Amino acid sequence: MHEPTCLRVYVTGSAAEAALIAEAADELTAAGYLVTTATPTVGPDVYDLLDAVGDDLDAVAAADLLVTVGDCSTLFEPVIAELHGVPVVAVETVQAGAR
């Protein structure tokens, strides 16, 4: 295992890419990145959903890098990242640099 880089990354992608997001998160964690992904929600409670989205917005804003898996053109995370000056890069770019 690598020493942590202390670089905070938020990994995002569509729900259809859940397995690839988990794989990318595991690989980046093993490479020493501090990884966050979307907050899971349980049940249909709207307040739980609002809390989860709020947590995700905060995590994206606090990240050093937003890592995308697949097509993220319809997701809110890249927009929020850009608003906060957080660079947005494809997972393949980060994986290439971690090797």
Side-chain angles (χ1 to χ4, degrees), residues 27-68:
E27 184 176 329
L28 294 172
T29 298
Y33 293 92
L34 303 173
V35 178
T36 302
T37 60
T39 305
T41 57
V42 178
D45 184 70
V46 69
Y47 296 107
D48 289 342
L49 179 59
L50 290 172
D51 286 344
V53 170
D55 290 345
D56 293 341
L57 290 171
D58 291 343
V60 171
D64 297 306
L65 190 64
L66 180 85
V67 177
T68 60

